[in-house]
Amino acid sequence: MNERVENADIALMTEIATLYYVEGETQEVIANRLGISRVKAGRWLKRAQAEGIVNVRVRQHPAVSAEIEQALIRRFGIKRALIALDHTDPDVQRSGVASLVADHLSRELHDGSIVAVGMGRNVGSVADNVFEQGERKCSFVCAIGGSLRAGEYMNPDHICRRLAMKYGGDSETLYAPALVQNPALRDSMYENPTVRQTLDRARRADIAMIGVGDLSEDSNMVRMGWFTPQEIAEARLSGTVGDMMGYDFIDIFGRPSETPMQGRVIGLTIMDLARIPDVVAIASENTKAAGILGALRTGVIDTLATSATNAHTILRLDEATRADDHPVR
């Protein structure tokens, strides 16, 4: 009995959603046609979204962000900027940025493509926002090791699997921890044939998706137990403003930071990323402007995906901190 009722509900939600979103009927017309109240029709529409029957995506008109995108391209020599509308809800903001990256992936991927995949909430959100995919024989390869404390959502292995499922491709896991105790152990892990094979494949990627981190005591790195709040605070005092893909700590000029936190993560380095044709840096949080600026100044970023507020802040920070000795593409 419950199953029949549930199926009937699904059929009704689908019918109402089709009338409203596809045929353009008003809620009043729908209510009259189906013999229900207008309020109930509205509730069914909301439930259709909650159940995943309807996926509403608001696409920013190109004219809205074209000027700021071109300013970023001219200033930093990147290939493209993907700028999302600002939103007060951080999850909605993250989804908005990720949907632009998902659209970019869907345009650029083809049979035989290799995508190197980093770690984090912003990268993970891309897999959730792939809707217009089409099957492609492409590969998603972990560009960094895994961490139990990161959880499934943020781990590159699970992100790769979700992306492969969406695109009908395959995924490859990097069988190594993301973080080790010291650089010597990391170098030893790099000699492992299994680790080396996966990283070599990631280095041959056509596209790399990486996160850009800020240096706060509430960062993912602290929550995962990689580094202590004290280590983060000391790194900030030494001039570190952020990280690329969870490590490769940088100052605001894009130079490697002098911090004991360097050299302990197993994954692709900035030098590796420099050889990949399209490195997509994804950062939705408005606390990350300084870290994004440092990442742009490394010269390895090709595509920047962020919020409108971040984009404006980055340009102002660049003006305020410009120096003759920071790297130029």
Side-chain angles (χ1 to χ4, degrees), residues 50-65:
E51 296 290 339
I53 293 170
V54 173
N55 173 53
V56 179
R57 301 180 74 190
V58 178
R59 295 182 183 274
Q60 181 167 275
H61 191 281
V64 175
S65 57

Side-chain angles (χ1 to χ4, degrees), residues 182-192 263:
N182 54 65
L185 182 53
R186 179 205 60 178
D187 293 343
S188 176
M189 290 290 295
Y190 278 155
E191 295 302 315
N192 179 279

Side-chain angles (χ1 to χ4, degrees), residues 3 14 50 55-57 61 70 85 106 129 173 204 216 222 240 245 247 266 278 327:
E3 185 176 350
T14 303
N55 173 53
V56 179
R57 301 180 74 190
H61 191 281
Q70 289 304 311
L85 294 168
S106 296
N129 284 275
T173 300
R204 298 195 300 272
S216 71
V222 174
T240 306
M245 207 163 65
Y247 61 108
I266 298 170
D278 185 11

Side-chain angles (χ1 to χ4, degrees), residues 39-236:
V39 172
K40 194 166 186 178
R43 287 174 180 166
W44 281 115
L45 282 171
K46 288 183 178 179
R47 187 175 169 190
Q49 289 190 47
E51 296 290 339
I53 293 170
V54 173
N55 173 53
V56 179
R57 301 180 74 190
V58 178
R59 295 182 183 274
Q60 181 167 275
H61 191 281
V64 175
S65 57
E67 185 176 346
I68 189 70
E69 289 172 359
Q70 289 304 311
L72 289 165
I73 290 168
R74 288 193 302 270
R75 184 74 59 86
F76 299 105
I78 58 178
K79 295 176 182 176
R80 64 191 65 80
L82 309 174
I83 308 301
L85 294 168
D86 290 310
H87 201 284
T88 54
D89 186 317
D91 292 329
V92 175
Q93 180 73 84
R94 188 177 302 112
S95 181
V97 173
S99 68
L100 295 178
V101 178
D103 289 344
H104 174 62
L105 274 185
S106 296
R107 289 191 299 269
E108 298 296 321
L109 287 180
H110 52 78
D111 287 353
S113 292
I114 299 175
V115 182
V117 179
M119 175 185 284
R121 289 177 295 182
N122 285 296
V123 179
S125 185
V126 174
D128 296 336
N129 284 275
V130 175
F131 299 107
E132 301 169 5
Q133 65 274 26
E135 188 167 325
R136 296 166 177 81
K137 295 177 181 177
C138 52
S139 299
F140 299 90
V141 184
C142 294
I144 183 174
S147 171
L148 283 174
R149 294 187 179 183
E152 289 189 3
Y153 187 82
M154 293 198 302
N155 258 307
D157 173 56
H158 293 274
I159 299 171
C160 283
R161 293 185 188 190
R162 298 204 307 273
L163 286 166
M165 188 178 301
K166 291 289 184 74
Y167 285 105
D170 62 76
S171 65
E172 183 170 336
T173 300
L174 176 58
Y175 291 103
L179 181 76
V180 293
Q181 288 90 338
N182 54 65
L185 182 53
R186 179 205 60 178
D187 293 343
S188 176
M189 290 290 295
Y190 278 155
E191 295 302 315
N192 179 279
T194 302
V195 172
R196 186 170 62 243
Q197 177 178 309
T198 299
L199 284 177
D200 282 346
R201 193 170 186 217
R203 292 183 182 105
R204 298 195 300 272
D206 304 285
I207 300 172
M209 292 196 304
I210 68 169
V212 176
D214 60 346
L215 232 65
S216 71
E217 286 83 352
D218 190 43
S219 69
N220 283 332
M221 293 180 291
V222 174
R223 286 197 295 269
M224 290 188 295
W226 286 17
F227 306 109
T228 66
Q230 182 179 352
E231 287 176 306
I232 295 291
E234 290 173 352
R236 276 209 312 269

